[in-house]
Amino acid sequence: MPIQPQLPQSVKIVEVGPRDGLQNEQQFVGADVKIELVERLARAGFKNVEAASFVSPKWVPQMATSAEVMARIERRPGTLYSALTPNLQGFEAALAARADEVVIFGSASEAFSQKNINCSIAESIARFEPVAKAAKANGLRLRASVSCAFGCPYQGEVPLDAVADVVGRMRDLGCDEIDIADTIGVATPRQTQAVMQRAAATFRLDGIAGHFHDTYGQALANIYASLEVGVQIFHASVSGLGGCPYAKGATGNVATEDVIYMLNGLGIETGIDLDLLVDAGAFISAQLGRKSASRAGNALAAKRA
């Protein structure tokens, strides 16, 4: 018998559908639908829901209702409600909205940084220094996302040193958690392990999260590869919602239903009620007028019919 890898006994799933998922939808989704989605996900057991983004509505119109969503959701004790904050103005809006965690972001690809925000990686992260200081001063949790950590639509391969450099800069800002993101979904399992191991050499392993897109159908395999090296936090999006409005070719995030189904089969504790999650996926898919992108969610729903 082959030796089985020692996998974590439990993992945390950060549900990013209400923000990272919906931000890429062309069809406007109203505040009432977003609120119900957030509340359904919290009831399903998620301890961290990415619920809002305080960016300019000019750039991301879908997130224009973030303040209303945060004001009206029923807060469940023990659940963190996160908000993306690109600058100090966004942070102040998140603080007023009673966000529990603010999220900053930077790219591991110099080309992606220059193309999308017209500045270097170093300059982009320097802009977050006042946000990081304000978060700490106000007792908010601070999370960072490192985009294009596995590949870039403009420069292609992203060196491990580049990923480690950005992780180190985010660490020095005082981040509590750092997401390593496969923004365009090009990663494969062996590459995933190399990137995660390098990130963990720069920041503590229990604060590293995997954020995978399923462009090439590799997301679940990459999550398993991450589990093998000890990663215990993963992002997923209900019904596979999302993509990246600034990354050409990026398709949806890995579907949360598929991730939970796999983790349940591995005997890894998540605290998530899969039935309630499937219901949440069916709800938002119906609101968008299309079938869920989750294969596990669709199969489980069909068994009920």
Side-chain angles (χ1 to χ4, degrees):
M1 289 283 290
I3 297 173
Q4 295 298 313
Q6 187 65 45
L7 303 180
Q9 293 183 338
S10 65
V11 301
K12 181 177 87 169
I13 302 296
V14 180
E15 172 55 60
V16 301
R19 197 284 299 178
D20 192 33
L22 291 179
Q23 74 171 7
N24 208 40
E25 291 293 328
Q26 297 302 308
Q27 170 190 337
F28 185 72
V29 180
D32 288 348
V33 172
K34 292 174 185 170
I35 289 163
E36 181 163 352
L37 178 61
V38 170
E39 291 181 348
R40 281 174 175 265
L41 293 166
R43 285 197 299 271
F46 290 94
K47 298 301 183 186
N48 195 332
V49 179
E50 202 171 87
S53 179
F54 291 97
V55 297
S56 169
K58 175 183 174 183
W59 297 111
V60 188
Q62 193 68 260
M63 292 291 107
T65 57
S66 286
E68 181 182 357
V69 170
M70 293 294 282
R72 291 176 51 202
I73 54 174
E74 179 185 347
R75 308 281 178 125
R76 289 180 72 87
T79 300
L80 294 173
Y81 297 90
S82 308
L84 192 74
T85 53
N87 50 40
L88 200 53
Q89 182 179 356
F91 171 80
E92 288 166 354
L95 183 66
R98 297 189 298 121
D100 302 299
E101 176 182 68
V102 294
V103 185
I104 59 177
F105 51 91
S107 176
S109 160
E110 195 66 56
F112 190 81
S113 186
Q114 294 286 357
K115 278 271 191 180
N116 287 285
I117 54 177
N118 202 32
C119 69
S120 69
I121 293 170
E123 289 169 332
S124 73
I125 295 174
R127 294 176 183 177
F128 286 119
E129 288 181 9
V131 176
K133 289 177 181 176
K136 293 301 177 182
N138 286 277
L140 269 65
R141 201 167 187 274
L142 179 66
R143 173 157 64 84
S145 185
V146 180
S147 63
C148 293
F150 299 86
C152 169
Y154 306 112
Q155 77 177 50
E157 185 179 343
V158 176
L160 290 175
D161 285 349
V163 178
D165 178 68
V166 178
V167 170
R169 292 174 187 270
M170 294 300 193
R171 174 202 62 207
D172 293 345
L173 289 179
C175 290
D176 298 289
E177 203 168 287
I178 300 177
D179 319 328
I180 310 300
D182 184 16
T183 308
I184 57 174
V186 295
T188 54
R190 187 165 292 177
Q191 178 197 16
T192 293
Q193 292 187 332
V195 172
M196 291 302 188
Q197 287 169 335
R198 188 60 180 275
T202 310
F203 187 67
R204 52 189 175 77
L205 180 59
D206 65 359
I208 295 287
H211 180 118
F212 295 101
H213 288 235
D214 209 27
T215 312
Y216 288 85
Q218 300 293 296
L220 289 178
N222 292 332
I223 289 173
Y224 189 86
S226 301
L227 288 167
E228 288 186 322
V229 298
V231 176
Q232 300 173 61
I233 309 168
F234 297 96
H235 293 191
S237 179
V238 62
S239 291
L241 296 174
C244 178
Y246 305 111
K248 184 179 178 182
T251 56
N253 294 283
V254 64
T256 316
E257 299 94 319
D258 297 353
V259 176
I260 299 302
Y261 182 82
M262 181 182 78
L263 294 172
N264 285 353
L266 292 169
I268 296 174
E269 179 59 45
T270 65
I272 308 303
D273 185 316
L274 183 54
D275 287 333
L276 292 180
L277 172 59
V278 169
D279 290 343
F283 164 75
I284 192 60
S285 296
Q287 295 298 318
L288 294 170
R290 64 170 187 258
K291 189 177 180 181
S292 169
S294 167
R295 296 176 73 171
N298 290 334
L300 290 167
K303 282 180 70 175
R304 295 179 185 173

